[in-house]
Amino acid sequence: MYVCFCFCLLPPKFTTPPTIFIHALFLSLLYRLASSMAKLVVEVLDSVDLLPKDGQGSSSPFVEVEFQGQRQRTATKFKDLNPLWNEKLVFQVKNPRDLSDETIEVSVYNDSKNGHHKNFLGRVRISGMSVPFSEEESVVQRYPLDKRGLFSRVKGDIALRIHAVILDSKSFDPEEEVLQHVNGVENRHRHNNNTTHSYDKATESTTAVPSHEVNTKKFDAEYQYMENQAKNKKKKELRTFYSVGTGSHGGGPPPPPAEAFVETRSDFNKAGSVPSASVMQMQFSGQKPEFAVVETKPPLAARMGYWGRDKTASTYDLVEQMHFLYVSVVKARDLPTMDLTGSLDPYVEVKVGNYKGLTRHFEKNQNPVWKQVFAFSRERLQSNLIEITVKDKDLVKDDFVGKVLFDIVEIPQRVPPDSPLAPQWYRLADKKGEKINHGEIMLAVWMGTQADEAFPDAWHSDAHSINQQSLASTRSKVYFSPKLYYLRVHVIAAQDLVPSDRSRPLETYVKVQLGHQLRLTRPSPMRNINPEWNEELMFVASEPFDEYIVISVEERIGPGKDEVMGKLVIPVREVPQRFETAKMLDPRWYALLLPSVAEETGEKKKEVKFASRILLRLCLDSGYHVLDESTHFSSDLQPSSKHLRKHSIGILEVGILSARNLQPMKSREGKLTDAYCVAKYGNKWVRTRTLLDSLHPRWNEQYTWEVHDPCTVITIGVFDNCHINGKDDARDQRIGKVRIRLSTLETDRIYTHSYPLLVFSPSGLMKHGELHLAIRFSCTAWVNMVTQYGKPLLPKMHYVQPISVRHIDWLRHQAMQIVAVKLSRAEPPLRKEIVEYMLDVDYHMWSLRRSKANFYRIMSLLSGISYIYRWFDGICYWKNPLTTILVHILFVILVCYPELILSTIFLYLFVIGLWNYRFRPRLPPHMDARLSQAENAHPDELFEEFDTFPTSQPTDLVRMRYDRLRSVAGRVQTVIGDLATQGERVLSILSWRDPRATAIVIVFALISAVFLYVTPFQVVAVLFGLYTLRHPRFRSKMPSVSVNFFKRLPAKSDSLL
């Protein structure tokens, strides 16, 4: 190709056969030299969790890499399912420009029969587009192994590091060398031979144009055509991986088997010259790819169909099956005494390989009852023998009592929904294996999965290093929020108050307190002993209604000095509930007692014969939904009363699979991350087990919720457990959270995606890893779900008797506090920082960054109107004559047949919707960093956003923030003033504020009325349309008469001070 290219550049006098032969030989050598200077380096590091293929539970793997017809392989690692190679394979690159179009195929085989036969273990196909051109830019990437065919079985992943090397790439360019050589030949020929002036002129005109601008395109086109023709003959459908670095490698154990990413992604971390495709721009909406959702294909039973599905995985079909060895230690009897005093302090030690679990010990008990379950991950079993030993707790050294041994091969398999395995009595044996006369232990040993009912409360082998007190904080649990009600206290009036000083006028108010909630009424305008307030106060009450309402009437004597005139205490459980929206409960008179008497109980209270009294209307409004989270991403919209709730319309199933590339949150302590997940939907909260000291935890836990409204949101957060070592004052750290709106999910489709875990902090936006989820929304009542879209979002009471926005915000905050307190009293507790982060307590606080995000959201909406205006302006100015003519024809048809207008509009909407179905979103929604204006937020804005309320910063900083807020508010004020001006001009048209303008308008209106009366409407419409769509030749660049007239109308802006 270089020969043909340079032959076209030679002058006519150099096309003799010897000259052509010499140049061809030189250029072919030059091309070979250029090709040999580009290398591709594939560094094969290790592989994890390969599939056993030798029939003995192991494999002897090796890696074979193929690139551009070149094939190399690594050494064979015998009997190793987690091999470590650390070998570099170097390949020649024929043309570095076409590296982005090449594919690197990496295959893993099992070496059987001494190299004469090999079994397929998996493969990976990597696009050359993701290969960086320097070793510094290359990072270690883990790729899940893919199948070769439909019936292939593969497992595990492989770690690779790939980069290209171009030796002396800055000083050597093959095309430039060719062009310089050709120009040199021409110059030497002109120097040695005196040619005519015409030939010199022609030569100068040829060389005046830069040669690479003319000929390189021709060369690239020919080369691309030949390469594409060769590829199209043998091209197959490839599964391509584009790696995206996360910036967190090393520092922990090798990650577990990863999921197969199927979404096309390019390497945005390298600073190469690879162009990004337009599809990629649509997919990521302009944000960074590491902040985007990635579709995955884990081996789930729900997706594998009948042929690949494990029949035992029908219950947990949205997670990968994890097998555990369960050992249930129930109790023991007739244990022998070991101490000289004749006592025994027994406990049980369950040992499998290097993993050892202990039960609690009992003092002086020969018949202890433990009822504890131990779970050992089958993937990490290091021995085929289970040793269960009973020991006597002692101060110096624990004594051996007896033991029971089990062979793992003989352990039965239990598959739910089978009933639990019945425990059996086993005789204890001594150290030699002989049965002893006294002592039996009741045990149950079986193989199961995470679907086993013993899984949540079991002691797990991955938490073997913590003590018994901290073990409870690592278990998976399900929580339910308390049922909340709005308590309405209508304070109407009081009678016969007894002031301490009757000579001064009374200034009375009522104080109502429920728990930590305190509200005050306004002072009564009637300054006598029979005041009236007629004011409603709202509170949040929770079941089981064990609190008291404390109502006191107080007199304001002076600044900061109040006197209690009467007090009343009412149990919340005695307050009636209100279900109907139209009927209010009748008010009731309550006796007010002195504070000292109100606190007394029993017979002393009955001695009071006369007292002041207060008229109250108390009720628990069970027709409302108590908002404990923002309505924009609420997960529950049901009323408090169970009699008013809707029936469920579907089931939401969520499989929390794993997390990858988490940041080490305990690096200062020499540890990694103790991660767990919390999911919240409706009043149900779930918490996964804590996986200790891992940056790539695999939970594989599945949970289910009933769905009553599709327009709700589920929130899933990841946290770092900081209470492993008994640190009660510590706070669990946030790793990130994900929100998914159910209405954006297709019914019965399984969504398996990896979501970025983004956390916003004073230092900026940080990515703490990825969370892998499997989600399925199944509808059980299609008619009810469709009718939900026509019903109100909130219960009826919110619209019949709405609560003001100011009160709603205060009540929401109180509801959040009640939920946080209730859940923190569970075991293990969902602590306050977790509940506040999941419910977004500070969502309504001021944030300049969030204000910018909302402003740009409004601008994006207005951009649609702007687009329509530009399109219509293009029609009016005949920018596309064909389109303008078609619009004229359509306009005339609609004017002549006006009955077609509405049908045409709806048909147009139908066609647009049908056309947009091809481009519908394939990914569920997620936290959008670009939409949130989080990528480029100013440090001072972040510092202000995370400041306390009220602020604790110095005066100068607060003054600077205030000045900045004033400048922003000034611009907002200007925009609002302009809008007000335009509206006032509209109102002043007929107000005679400008007599001449109003006279012009009414005269024009009279003439128009007469003209429209005598002229058919179709004629007027056609004339108006043709005038609007007239050709630019008949248009003026000056504003129209109507615009000039409108801008001259008066407004009230000149009346402002």
Side-chain angles (χ1 to χ4, degrees):
M1 183 60 63
Y2 271 95
V3 176
C4 299
F5 166 64
C6 295
F7 176 72
C8 298
L9 294 177
L10 292 178
K13 292 190 177 183
F14 287 88
T15 55
T16 58
T19 309
I20 293 176
F21 175 76
I22 293 173
H23 286 295
L25 179 61
F26 170 76
L27 295 174
S28 63
L29 293 175
L30 191 62
Y31 175 70
R32 289 179 179 272
L33 178 61
S35 300
S36 63
M37 297 183 70
K39 308 287 185 183
L40 177 70
V41 181
V42 180
E43 187 175 354
V44 184
L45 301 177
D46 62 79
S47 189
V48 177
D49 198 20
L50 295 178
L51 191 69
K53 282 284 188 176
D54 60 357
Q56 301 177 1
S58 184
S59 292
S60 300
F62 69 91
V63 178
E64 189 175 87
V65 183
E66 184 175 357
F67 175 73
Q68 290 186 345
Q70 309 168 58
R71 184 176 299 174
Q72 298 187 40
R73 57 163 289 179
T74 64
T76 302
K77 301 296 181 180
F78 295 98
K79 303 292 183 180
D80 192 356
L81 294 179
N82 299 288
L84 183 66
W85 288 287
N86 284 330
E87 296 186 28
K88 289 186 178 181
L89 307 179
V90 183
F91 299 87
Q92 301 286 344
V93 181
K94 296 180 180 179
N95 188 6
R97 292 179 176 271
D98 294 336
L99 180 59
S100 60
D101 297 330
E102 299 292 341
T103 300
I104 308 166
E105 184 169 341
V106 182
S107 303
V108 184
Y109 296 98
N110 170 47
D111 193 350
S112 60
K113 298 182 180 180
N114 297 324
H116 298 290
H117 185 70
K118 58 184 180 181
N119 305 112
F120 179 75
L121 295 179
R123 69 177 177 183
V124 175
R125 289 184 171 181
I126 305 169
S127 172
M129 185 179 295
S130 62
V131 177
F133 280 88
S134 66
E135 187 174 359
E136 291 78 11
E137 296 178 358
S138 63
V139 293
V140 178
Q141 297 288 339
R142 303 201 71 89
Y143 300 90
L145 296 176
D146 193 13
K147 297 180 179 181
R148 180 169 56 183
L150 183 62
F151 301 101
S152 301
R153 287 191 61 198
V154 298
K155 185 181 178 184
D157 56 21
I158 186 171
L160 302 173
R161 186 181 182 186
I162 305 174
H163 66 278
V165 177
I166 301 180
L167 302 178
D168 298 329
S169 58
K170 296 181 180 180
S171 60
F172 182 81
D173 187 357
E175 288 189 35
E176 191 66 27
E177 291 292 331
V178 171
L179 295 173
Q180 290 180 5
H181 177 72
V182 173
N183 293 332
V185 172
E186 293 181 0
N187 293 334
R188 285 197 301 272
H189 179 264
R190 272 199 312 279
H191 179 73
N192 296 329
N193 300 280
N194 295 324
T195 57
T196 60
H197 177 71
S198 60
Y199 177 74
D200 288 340
K201 189 174 182 180
T203 305
E204 291 174 1
S205 64
T206 304
T207 58
V209 181
S211 57
H212 63 277
E213 293 184 6
V214 177
N215 298 296
T216 303
K217 296 180 180 179
K218 177 181 178 182
F219 158 73
D220 288 339
E222 293 180 5
Y223 193 84
Q224 289 287 343
Y225 175 76
M226 295 180 64
E227 287 291 313
N228 292 337
Q229 290 295 324
K231 289 178 182 178
N232 290 336
K233 293 181 180 179
K234 54 181 180 180
K235 185 176 182 180
K236 298 180 181 179
E237 183 180 357
L238 301 181
R239 190 176 185 189
T240 308
F241 293 85
Y242 296 94
S243 60
V244 176
T246 58
S248 61
H249 301 282
E259 302 81 14
F261 292 90
V262 298
E263 183 182 18
T264 304
R265 303 183 67 178
S266 60
D267 192 357
F268 283 78
N269 288 342
K270 67 186 181 67
S273 59
V274 180
S276 59
S278 59
V279 177
M280 192 63 60
Q281 296 171 359
M282 293 174 60
Q283 187 66 44
F284 295 123
S285 303
Q287 67 174 339
K288 297 181 180 179
E290 58 264 28
F291 297 156
V293 174
V294 180
E295 186 177 4
T296 61
K297 258 192 176 181
L300 304 182
R303 269 186 167 175
M304 298 173 67
Y306 178 80
W307 296 103
R309 178 180 297 178
D310 187 355
K311 306 305 181 297
T312 64
S314 58
T315 304
Y316 277 28
D317 60 346
L318 289 184
V319 294
E320 301 179 40
Q321 267 204 350
M322 300 179 68
H323 295 273
F324 292 89
L325 169 65
Y326 290 98
V327 179
S328 175
V329 181
V330 184
K331 57 184 177 179
R333 66 185 180 187
D334 196 20
L335 296 178
T337 58
M338 303 301 295
D339 296 338
L340 297 177
T341 58
S343 63
L344 180 69
D345 303 331
Y347 72 93
V348 177
E349 176 187 277
V350 182
K351 185 177 181 181
V352 181
N354 292 332
Y355 293 105
K356 181 172 61 176
L358 303 176
T359 67
R360 61 186 182 277
H361 77 280
F362 292 93
E363 295 183 0
K364 300 179 181 181
N365 193 339
Q366 293 180 258
N367 301 288
V369 179
W370 291 286
K371 292 184 178 180
Q372 286 186 244
V373 181
F374 299 85
F376 300 87
S377 176
R378 195 175 72 175
E379 297 179 354
R380 300 182 180 180
L381 292 182
Q382 302 168 343
S383 174
N384 292 329
L385 198 64
I386 308 172
E387 185 177 349
I388 303 173
T389 307
V390 181
K391 293 186 177 182
D392 177 27
K393 188 75 173 178
D394 208 342
L395 295 177
V396 182
K397 183 180 180 182
D398 297 344
D399 298 326
F400 175 85
V401 178
K403 67 178 180 180
V404 178
L405 300 178
F406 292 93
D407 191 350
I408 293 181
V409 180
E410 300 176 357
I411 299 302
Q413 180 88 15
R414 178 180 175 267
V415 180
D418 291 352
S419 298
L421 192 67
Q424 300 180 17
W425 287 102
Y426 293 90
R427 291 282 300 275
L428 296 177
D430 56 14
K431 294 182 179 180
K432 298 180 181 180
E434 298 179 358
K435 302 294 183 181
I436 60 178
N437 296 330
H438 299 283
E440 290 181 318
I441 186 171
M442 179 178 284
L443 303 170
V445 184
W446 71 93
M447 280 288 183
T449 63
Q450 69 267 44
D452 204 296
E453 65 272 3
F455 176 81
D457 295 324
W459 172 96
H460 288 271
S461 57
D462 52 13
H464 65 280
S465 59
I466 63 176
N467 52 33
Q468 291 288 339
Q469 290 76 14
S470 301
L471 186 62
S473 63
T474 65
R475 290 171 175 162
S476 57
K477 292 293 181 181
V478 176
Y479 309 82
F480 284 92
S481 299
K483 188 181 294 185
L484 304 178
Y485 294 81
Y486 282 143
L487 172 64
R488 187 186 299 269
V489 180
H490 188 186
V491 182
I492 302 176
Q495 287 183 357
D496 302 329
L497 296 180
V498 182
S500 59
D501 187 0
R502 297 179 180 270
S503 61
R504 64 171 179 266
L506 297 179
E507 184 179 354
T508 57
Y509 65 93
V510 178
K511 181 170 69 174
V512 184
Q513 184 172 3
L514 175 65
H516 296 285
Q517 307 173 58
L518 180 64
R519 300 294 302 274
L520 304 176
T521 65
R522 293 185 297 271
S524 174
M526 304 176 64
R527 300 197 168 195
N528 52 34
I529 61 174
N530 299 312
E532 294 182 1
W533 295 278
N534 197 22
E535 188 172 344
E536 284 190 347
L537 305 177
M538 299 287 290
F539 300 87
V540 179
S542 63
E543 290 185 347
F545 303 135
D546 53 354
E547 295 181 326
Y548 292 89
I549 308 172
V550 180
I551 303 174
S552 60
V553 180
E554 299 186 9
E555 178 189 5
R556 184 162 297 166
I557 301 175
K561 186 178 181 181
D562 299 329
E563 183 180 81
V564 178
M565 304 179 66
K567 196 171 185 180
L568 173 65
V569 179
I570 304 175
V572 179
R573 66 173 63 94
E574 296 181 2
V575 177
Q577 293 191 24
R578 181 168 72 106
F579 302 96
E580 299 181 6
T581 58
K583 184 179 179 182
M584 293 291 294
L585 299 180
D586 296 329
R588 177 183 170 187
W589 287 99
Y590 293 89
L592 285 174
L593 306 177
L594 295 177
S596 58
V597 180
E599 296 174 358
E600 297 177 356
T601 57
E603 297 180 356
K604 294 183 178 180
K605 245 183 180 180
K606 298 180 180 179
E607 296 177 359
V608 181
K609 298 181 179 179
F610 177 82
S612 305
R613 59 179 185 171
I614 186 171
L615 182 61
L616 301 173
R617 179 186 286 116
L618 301 175
C619 62
L620 287 170
D621 286 330
S622 57
Y624 288 96
H625 166 69
V626 180
L627 297 169
D628 58 352
E629 50 192 346
S630 176
T631 52
H632 299 296
F633 37 82
S634 180
S635 62
D636 184 18
L637 303 172
Q638 293 286 87
S640 301
S641 174
K642 62 180 180 180
H643 304 290
L644 303 177
R645 294 184 178 180
K646 312 168 188 174
H647 297 287
S648 64
I649 61 170
I651 298 294
L652 174 64
E653 300 168 275
V654 177
I656 304 176
L657 302 179
S658 61
R660 295 180 58 82
N661 303 319
L662 298 182
Q663 298 296 320
M665 309 298 290
K666 294 185 174 70
S667 56
R668 296 183 179 179
E669 304 175 10
K671 297 182 180 180
L672 299 179
T673 300
D674 304 326
Y676 67 94
C677 288
V678 175
K680 195 262 182 188
Y681 182 76
N683 64 336
K684 180 179 177 181
W685 301 64
V686 299
R687 170 178 177 157
T688 66
R689 70 189 191 280
T690 302
L691 297 183
L692 304 181
D693 206 30
S694 175
L695 299 180
H696 310 278
R698 297 175 62 201
W699 293 286
N700 282 311
E701 299 183 23
Q702 182 172 340
Y703 299 95
T704 304
W705 286 268
E706 282 189 348
V707 178
H708 299 272
D709 195 315
C711 301
T712 47
V713 178
I714 181 173
T715 306
I716 304 171
V718 184
F719 301 89
D720 176 44
N721 197 333
C722 297
H723 298 83
I724 298 299
N725 298 321
K727 299 179 181 179
D728 294 335
D729 56 341
R731 293 171 60 91
D732 290 351
Q733 300 185 62
R734 307 170 179 178
I735 298 180
K737 66 180 175 183
V738 176
R739 289 198 204 102
I740 301 173
R741 183 170 291 273
L742 269 61
S743 59
T744 62
L745 304 179
E746 298 179 13
T747 308
D748 295 325
R749 177 186 169 185
I750 300 174
Y751 290 84
T752 53
H753 294 82
S754 180
Y755 299 83
L757 295 173
L758 305 178
V759 172
F760 210 58
S761 64
S763 59
L765 181 66
M766 294 184 294
K767 179 183 177 183
H768 284 173
E770 301 96 26
L771 178 63
H772 191 197
L773 301 174
I775 301 176
R776 177 173 58 199
F777 172 48
S778 304
C779 180
T780 57
W782 273 95
V783 177
N784 293 342
M785 184 179 70
V786 173
T787 55
Q788 283 290 337
Y789 283 88
K791 295 182 179 179
L793 193 64
L794 294 171
K796 182 180 179 181
M797 191 79 78
H798 285 269
Y799 305 96
V800 176
Q801 293 183 358
I803 305 174
S804 64
V805 177
R806 180 172 59 88
H807 288 159
I808 280 290
D809 290 339
W810 186 84
L811 293 172
R812 179 188 291 111
H813 180 73
Q814 299 300 326
M816 290 178 180
Q817 298 299 322
I818 293 175
V819 172
V821 170
K822 294 289 185 179
L823 295 180
S824 64
R825 299 174 63 181
E827 185 63 33
L830 273 182
R831 303 185 184 274
K832 183 179 179 180
E833 63 269 16
I834 301 171
V835 177
E836 290 181 349
Y837 181 59
M838 297 289 289
L839 296 180
D840 277 310
V841 173
D842 55 351
Y843 179 78
H844 296 278
M845 298 297 292
W846 159 256
S847 169
L848 186 59
R849 173 192 59 84
R850 197 176 290 123
S851 301
K852 289 182 179 178
N854 292 331
F855 172 76
Y856 285 116
R857 288 172 59 195
I858 295 176
M859 295 304 297
S860 64
L861 294 177
L862 298 179
S863 64
I865 302 175
S866 175
Y867 172 78
I868 296 175
Y869 173 78
R870 290 195 303 269
W871 174 83
F872 185 74
D873 188 68
I875 295 297
C876 294
Y877 282 88
W878 292 69
K879 293 182 179 180
N880 189 342
L882 179 60
T883 306
T884 304
I885 293 173
L886 293 177
V887 170
H888 278 78
I889 297 174
L890 178 62
F891 174 73
V892 172
I893 293 175
L894 293 180
V895 170
C896 297
Y897 302 96
E899 64 273 7
L900 299 178
I901 294 178
L902 291 179
S903 59
T904 303
I905 293 175
F906 285 106
L907 181 62
Y908 185 63
L909 294 177
F910 170 77
V911 172
I912 291 178
L914 205 61
W915 176 262
N916 289 339
Y917 180 78
R918 299 171 53 198
F919 312 103
R920 67 189 185 278
R922 301 288 183 175
L923 303 178
H926 64 288
M927 300 293 189
D928 195 328
R930 181 173 178 269
L931 179 66
S932 305
Q933 299 294 316
E935 297 180 0
N936 302 316
H938 194 273
D940 186 64
E941 296 176 3
L942 301 180
F943 190 64
E944 179 184 6
E945 182 173 346
F946 287 91
D947 193 8
T948 58
F949 185 83
T951 182
S952 57
Q953 300 304 318
T955 308
D956 294 339
L957 183 60
V958 175
R959 183 182 294 111
M960 185 271 294
R961 292 177 181 173
Y962 175 67
D963 293 339
R964 182 180 60 192
L965 184 61
R966 288 179 63 189
S967 64
V968 175
R971 283 175 284 184
V972 175
Q973 172 183 291
T974 302
V975 174
I976 295 176
D978 292 341
L979 293 177
T981 298
Q982 308 307 323
E984 290 168 353
R985 285 173 176 171
V986 173
L987 296 177
S988 65
I989 292 177
L990 299 176
S991 65
W992 293 94
R993 185 66 182 174
D994 186 343
R996 286 166 292 278
T998 305
I1000 293 173
V1001 169
I1002 61 175
V1003 171
F1004 176 77
L1006 178 62
I1007 297 174
S1008 300
V1010 175
F1011 176 76
L1012 293 176
Y1013 179 76
V1014 300
T1015 308
F1017 174 76
Q1018 286 84 353
V1019 175
V1020 176
V1022 169
L1023 293 177
F1024 178 77
L1026 294 178
Y1027 175 78
T1028 305
L1029 300 175
R1030 66 191 183 277
H1031 196 272
R1033 183 177 300 176
F1034 305 104
R1035 293 179 180 272
S1036 174
K1037 294 183 178 180
M1038 302 300 292
S1040 63
V1041 176
S1042 58
V1043 173
N1044 295 332
F1045 181 81
F1046 182 77
K1047 287 184 177 181
R1048 291 176 177 273
L1049 293 174
K1052 297 180 180 180
S1053 56
D1054 50 354
S1055 300
L1056 295 175
L1057 293 177

